[in-house]
DNA sequence: CCGCCGATCTTT
DNA sequence: AAGATCGGCGGG
């Protein structure tokens, strides 16, 4: 898995470098899922109005000021969870939001969690598309908040590998503030990337 | 303590 | 284009 030093870097650099890597959930169990990270956004510290860290280390955002490599999960709009990985050195705020991934293995369990028993059939690319859907498909909720991804045996890990060479950069989506900062990183032309795409297309 | 608001998603 | 739905945050 990736070492903590990787996550201690500059948040935008971590976000960009995370695209193209492989996420593993529940490794070694019957429900193991592997997924290719295709879309990530960076949320900075006190100078980023769109970041939960903007107002300082409140109860919810305190984890963003803590040690890198931990999971930050929060509830969005009362019904969806969003998963982040904390970045920057301990004491400095930052996190990267997992926005979309493509299932590599373990599709049946993901499909079951997303569709329920006998629901509408989703396309493979839609299973983990969107931050709320990604959490739903990977069974990530607030009980995973604070999880150390760098700890041996962690339920969620990032496989050591290399960053994708073809990454598109665009403005973050779905936010009200600081919409002009180019802190969204997507695997070029990958069908699992959420819309709108940084470059073009439908 | 109360009221608003959101890093979303689905449906009309 | 709008509603569901609830915890966190800020103001009073």
């Amino acid at each position: 898995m990736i070492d903590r030093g990787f996550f201690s870097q500059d948040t935008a650099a971590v976000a960009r470098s995370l695209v193209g890597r492989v996420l593993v959930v529940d490794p070694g169990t019957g429900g193991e899922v592997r997924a290719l990270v295709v879309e990530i956004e960076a949320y900075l510290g006190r100078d980023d109005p769109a970041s939960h860290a903007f107002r300082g280390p409140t109860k919810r955002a305190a984890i963003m000021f803590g040690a890198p490599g931990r999971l930050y999960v929060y509830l969005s709009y009362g019904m969806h969870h969003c998963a982040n990985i904390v970045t920057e050195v301990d004491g400095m705020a930052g996190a990267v939001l997992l926005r979309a991934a493509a299932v590599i293995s373990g599709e049946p369990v993901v499909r079951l969690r997303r569709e329920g028993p006998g629901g509408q059939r989703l396309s493979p690319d839609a299973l983990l598309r969107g931050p709320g859907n990604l959490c739903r498909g990977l069974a990530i909720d607030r009980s995973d908040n604070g999880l150390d991804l760098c700890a041996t045996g962690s339920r969620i890990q990032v496989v050591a590998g290399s960053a994708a060479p073809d990454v598109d950069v665009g403005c973050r989506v779905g936010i009200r503030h600081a919409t002009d900062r180019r802190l969204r990183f997507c695997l070029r032309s990958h069908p699992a990337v959420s819309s709108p795409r940084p470059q073009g297309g439908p």
Side-chain angles (χ1 to χ4, degrees):
Chain A
M1 81 184 67
I2 294 187
D3 61 286
R4 199 175 309 282
F6 171 84
F7 296 110
S8 72
Q9 301 172 87
D10 163 77
T11 305
V14 173
R16 174 170 204 132
S17 180
L18 221 38
V19 174
R21 307 219 185 211
V22 175
L23 205 60
V24 187
V25 181
D26 297 321
T29 75
E32 174 175 315
V33 176
R34 299 178 88 87
L36 180 72
V37 176
V38 301
E39 181 181 351
I40 294 276
E41 281 179 359
Y43 287 86
L44 314 184
R46 310 213 52 152
D47 59 332
D48 179 7
S51 172
H52 290 163
F54 182 59
R55 313 204 179 252
T58 60
K59 181 175 182 187
R60 180 177 64 168
I63 187 172
M64 288 184 66
F65 289 79
R70 311 258 303 255
L71 206 63
Y72 166 39
V73 184
Y74 68 93
L75 191 61
S76 179
Y77 289 89
M79 38 176 69
H80 309 285
H81 293 280
C82 289
N84 304 254
I85 304 174
V86 175
T87 58
E88 306 279 354
V89 295
D90 197 346
M92 187 163 302
V96 294
L97 172 68
L98 277 42
R99 282 199 58 88
V103 176
I104 297 169
S105 65
E107 176 173 321
V109 65
V110 175
R111 185 171 292 282
L112 183 64
R113 294 195 281 236
R114 286 278 284 119
E115 298 175 349
Q120 191 64 43
R121 183 170 185 86
L122 296 164
S123 87
D125 288 322
L127 291 174
L128 301 177
R129 178 192 287 144
N133 292 331
L134 184 149
C135 282
R136 170 82 61 176
L138 298 179
I140 296 173
D141 59 31
R142 288 221 314 298
S143 70
D144 295 303
N145 191 41
L147 201 72
D148 184 359
L149 304 199
C150 301
T152 308
S154 173
R155 182 174 105 74
I156 302 173
Q157 297 176 22
V158 180
V159 177
S162 50
D166 46 349
V167 175
D168 288 331
V169 185
C171 296
R172 294 176 294 187
V173 295
I175 56 171
R176 317 267 305 198
H177 306 292
T179 53
D180 57 332
R181 296 216 203 195
R182 302 183 39 99
L183 292 171
R184 179 169 178 244
F185 304 91
C186 305
L187 192 55
R188 182 163 305 151
S189 303
H190 198 287
V193 171
S194 70
S195 60
R197 295 172 179 268
Q199 294 304 84

